[in-house]
């Protein structure tokens, strides 16, 4: 007999099924609740609502655990490479050599981006935020690949759409970077590995030959892997809910990019470095900023701190902090902002306000320091997050379609005025 939970309401008892996940997570299935009681559930911000049963990412926020398809994030970040992790997330298992070769070959065949995308990009002021340009270009890809719009196309054709977007994303990001700098867009080159080619397109200038930097490439693999999925967060839920209307992949991912842009989500990495620079410019007084963050009359928050799900250390932040020391050390960079970040963390983690609320550094706290060290402009930090998150968004979109999940449509409790009578202000 499977477990149930009981709800008493209006003198009668309703028995609801309890669903158990493979990591023994429990959930009450409230599906039958409304039919039996007339009640809906209310959970603003979905703080305690499971929207799906997913086999992609496991996260235990109380114990600081993160697994992709059962593999600990620490092992993947240390030993794997970004495309292998992308394959794992999208197809469920790590690829063998033949599968990996076929996957990378398919990506290489789809790297070219239509020349008109450059014309489209040139319409943006160079000061436009890269995240706005990225979401626009991704949404516009549907125009160049109209065959990808049919939601009922065969699985192989859906796979081709997935490959297409994975292949074009680094090219698009690098072209946005070129546009901002007023430099010619660099074409992809299939002779290079995915991340290598991205760095080549991103950092090439017309006057010099670009030399691939293995330290930079290795740092990027690690950062992209760490960002690759994080179960039902704001942007991923957005991708799934947009996709649930059978909107095409480009529209769904473009919506995810926009959701990620916000400073409470992926936009925090840009905000963190700006905050750290401000602290530095004001003499490095970290206590002042910790006090500001605690002051309920001040809207300031410690950016890069706190998480909806992690009530223990964010395991990604731990890895990135160590990587920060390692990469800056290898590059011979001494960034004063890194010591400010470490002092800020130390002060905050001893402060009862942060301790009681279980607020720890999140993935965004140290990532920007690495991005800056390897030459990524500050307003591209969230774009880097999007590049890393793309396989996760795709995997979640694919899973949602495979599960034949119904269109996402929450309910509400109406609290507005009732039954008012219209009084015209003038004759029609
Ligand atoms: N600085 C100061 N106080 C904070 C912070 C912070 N960074 N984060 C949370 N708090 C406080 C809140 O004021 C609240 O205090 P209260 O109980 O006295 O009202 C309590 O901690 C709980 O915070 P909520 O906002 O209710 O938590 P929620 O789960 O809704 O928000 C969030 C999580 C958005 C990440 C929040 O911690 C935050 O704003 N952090 C800063 C932005 C950030 O770093 N975002 C990136 C998150 S990781 C990612 O999306 C990739």
């Amino acid at each position: 007999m499977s477990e149930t939970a009981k709800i008493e309401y209006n003198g009668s008892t309703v028995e609801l099924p309890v669903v158990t996940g493979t990591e023994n997570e429990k959930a009450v299935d409230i599906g039958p609740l409304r039919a039996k009681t007339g009640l809906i559930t209310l959970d603003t911000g979905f703080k305690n609502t499971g929207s799906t049963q997913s086999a992609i990412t496991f996260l235990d926020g109380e114990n600081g655990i993160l697994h992709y398809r059962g593999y600990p994030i620490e092992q993947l970040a240390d030993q794997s490479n970004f495309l292998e992790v992308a394959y794992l997330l999208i197809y469920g298992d790590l690829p063998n050599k033949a599968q990996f070769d076929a996957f990378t070959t398919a990506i290489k065949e789809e790297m070219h981006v239509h020349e008109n995308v450059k014309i489209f990009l040139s319409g943006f002021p160079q000061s436009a935020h890269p995240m706005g340009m990225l979401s626009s270009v991704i949404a516009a890809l549907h125009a160049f690949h109209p065959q990808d719009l049919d939601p009922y196309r065969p699985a192989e054709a859906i796979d081709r759409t997935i490959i297409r977007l994975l292949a074009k994303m680094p090219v698009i990001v690098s072209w946005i970077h070129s546009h901002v700098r007023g430099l010619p867009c660099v074409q992809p080159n299939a002779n290079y590995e995915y991340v290598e080619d991205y760095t080549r397109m991103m950092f090439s200038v017309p006057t010099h030959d670009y030399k691939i930097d293995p330290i930079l490439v290795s740092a990027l693999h690690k950062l992209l892997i760490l960002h690759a999925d994080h179960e039902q967060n704001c942007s991923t839920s957005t991708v799934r809910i947009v996709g649930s209307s059978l909107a095409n992949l480009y529209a769904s991912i473009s919506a995810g990019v926009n959701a990620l842009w916000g400073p409470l989500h992926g936009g925090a990495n840009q905000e963190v470095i700006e905050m750290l620079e401000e602290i530095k410019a004001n003499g490095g007084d970290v206590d002042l900023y910790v006090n500001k963050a605690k002051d309920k009359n001040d809207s300031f928050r410690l950016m890069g701190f706190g998480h909806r799900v992690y009530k223990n250390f964010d395991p990604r932040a731990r890895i990135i902090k160590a990587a920060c020391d390692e990469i800056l050390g290898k590059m011979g960079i001494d960034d004063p902002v890194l010591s400010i970040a470490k002092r800020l963390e130390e002060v905050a983690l001893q402060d009862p306000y942060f301790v009681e609320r279980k607020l720890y550094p999140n993935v965004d706290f140290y990532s920007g320091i690495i991005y800056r060290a390897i030459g990524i402009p500050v307003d591209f930090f969230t774009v880097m997050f999007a590049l890393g998150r793309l396989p996760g968004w795709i995997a979640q979109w694919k899973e949602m379609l495979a599960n034949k999940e119904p269109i996402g449509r929450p309910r509400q409790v109406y609290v507005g005025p009732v039954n008012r009578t219209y009084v015209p202000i003038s004759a029609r």
Side-chain angles (χ1 to χ4, degrees):
M1 168 74 184
S2 35
E3 271 185 286
T4 57
K6 291 186 178 124
I7 290 186
E8 285 184 22
Y9 180 70
N10 256 351
S12 54
T13 302
V14 189
E15 215 165 336
L16 299 169
V18 169
V19 177
T20 307
T22 50
E23 291 274 3
N24 213 27
E25 284 175 302
K26 307 265 182 192
V28 182
D29 178 356
I30 52 93
L33 186 68
R34 189 158 180 274
K36 291 186 176 168
T37 64
L39 290 172
I40 64 161
T41 54
L42 182 62
D43 179 22
T44 309
F46 310 120
K47 290 198 172 196
N48 195 35
T49 294
S51 58
T52 188
Q53 294 188 50
S54 176
I56 302 171
T57 289
F58 170 67
L59 194 171
D60 175 348
E62 305 303 324
N63 294 306
I65 292 172
L66 175 62
H67 291 173
Y68 294 164
R69 302 279 191 188
Y71 294 97
I73 189 65
E74 291 79 6
Q75 293 180 16
L76 296 172
D78 227 35
Q79 298 167 48
S80 185
N81 68 65
F82 180 57
L83 277 193
E84 191 183 40
V85 169
Y87 186 101
L88 170 70
L89 289 168
I90 295 168
Y91 300 109
D93 291 301
L94 283 169
N96 59 31
K97 174 86 175 65
Q99 287 165 328
F100 187 68
D101 288 349
F103 183 57
T104 49
T105 303
I107 287 177
K108 285 176 183 203
E109 281 166 6
E110 288 290 348
M111 288 192 309
H112 53 274
V113 173
H114 199 287
E115 284 293 292
N116 285 1
V117 168
K118 290 183 197 165
I119 301 172
F120 177 66
L121 260 179
S122 70
F124 282 99
Q126 280 172 270
S127 58
H129 196 286
M131 283 296 276
M133 292 192 266
L134 181 65
S135 70
S136 307
V137 174
I138 292 174
L141 286 182
H142 80 275
F144 302 99
H145 306 282
Q147 71 277 30
D148 291 347
L149 300 190
D150 175 10
Y152 302 108
R153 64 199 182 284
E156 310 81 69
I158 291 184
D159 240 23
R160 203 70 200 174
T161 309
I162 288 173
I163 296 285
R164 214 165 259 146
L165 186 50
L166 271 176
K168 294 181 195 324
M169 183 81 160
V171 186
I172 293 167
V173 170
S174 79
W175 284 11
I176 293 172
H177 191 223
S178 302
H179 170 65
V180 167
R181 296 182 303 162
L183 293 176
C185 297
V186 180
Q187 290 297 339
N189 183 334
N191 293 324
Y192 291 90
E193 182 273 332
Y194 188 87
V195 176
E196 277 182 0
D197 201 38
Y198 169 66
T199 65
R200 189 191 60 83
M201 291 184 287
M202 187 79 178
F203 299 119
S204 285
V205 288
T207 45
H208 293 76
D209 289 337
Y210 182 75
K211 200 165 166 288
I212 303 286
D213 178 348
I215 299 175
L216 193 157
V217 170
S218 157
L220 277 183
H221 273 289
K222 186 171 282 210
L223 284 168
L224 295 173
I225 290 170
L226 289 170
H227 286 87
D229 195 50
H230 211 233
E231 52 117 298
Q232 308 310 316
N233 55 78
C234 175
S235 55
T236 302
S237 301
T238 300
V239 169
R240 282 184 91 123
I241 209 161
V242 172
S244 75
S245 74
L246 301 186
N248 64 80
L249 181 65
Y250 307 119
S252 306
I253 300 293
S254 166
V257 171
N258 282 320
L260 187 73
W261 190 358
L264 296 186
H265 191 15
N269 55 15
Q270 174 174 348
E271 302 270 332
V272 170
I273 209 88
E274 287 167 358
M275 173 187 77
L276 293 173
E277 281 296 343
E278 189 187 313
I279 298 175
K280 190 177 115 203
N282 288 336
D285 185 354
V286 296
D287 293 294
L288 177 81
Y289 284 84
V290 168
N291 288 333
K292 264 167 79 67
K294 286 156 48 177
D295 182 355
K296 293 292 175 198
N297 296 316
D298 192 328
S299 62
F300 176 78
R301 283 189 162 203
L302 266 198
M303 298 314 283
F305 253 78
H307 198 275
R308 168 61 60 78
V309 198
Y310 289 119
K311 301 303 170 196
N312 191 326
F313 234 86
D314 179 338
R316 302 167 301 173
R318 231 190 262 278
I319 301 171
I320 294 182
K321 185 181 177 186
C324 212
D325 280 326
E326 186 196 330
I327 293 158
L328 267 63
K330 277 188 193 161
M331 298 182 103
I333 295 173
D334 179 19
D335 188 343
V337 148
L338 177 58
S339 31
I340 292 179
K342 285 183 179 169
R343 261 195 295 137
L344 192 60
E345 178 188 344
E346 202 181 307
V347 171
L349 292 186
Q350 283 167 11
D351 191 296
Y353 174 97
F354 290 87
V355 174
E356 280 157 21
R357 290 170 179 75
K358 300 184 175 169
L359 302 171
Y360 294 88
N362 58 48
V363 68
D364 291 323
F365 194 64
Y366 286 102
S367 60
I369 299 176
I370 305 185
Y371 287 140
R372 196 163 67 165
I374 62 182
I376 308 278
V378 173
D379 57 358
F380 270 77
F381 289 2
T382 316
V383 172
M384 295 306 299
F385 193 148
L387 183 64
R389 183 53 57 87
L390 182 65
W393 285 332
I394 290 174
Q396 301 272 352
W397 176 86
K398 187 168 180 263
E399 182 182 70
M400 181 272 308
L401 284 184
N403 289 351
K404 297 197 171 19
E405 291 182 9
I407 185 165
R409 202 301 185 188
R411 286 180 178 268
Q412 63 161 24
V413 174
Y414 177 70
V415 293
V418 290
N419 211 16
R420 298 201 276 190
T421 302
Y422 173 71
V423 181
I425 51 169
S426 61
R428 207 187 314 213

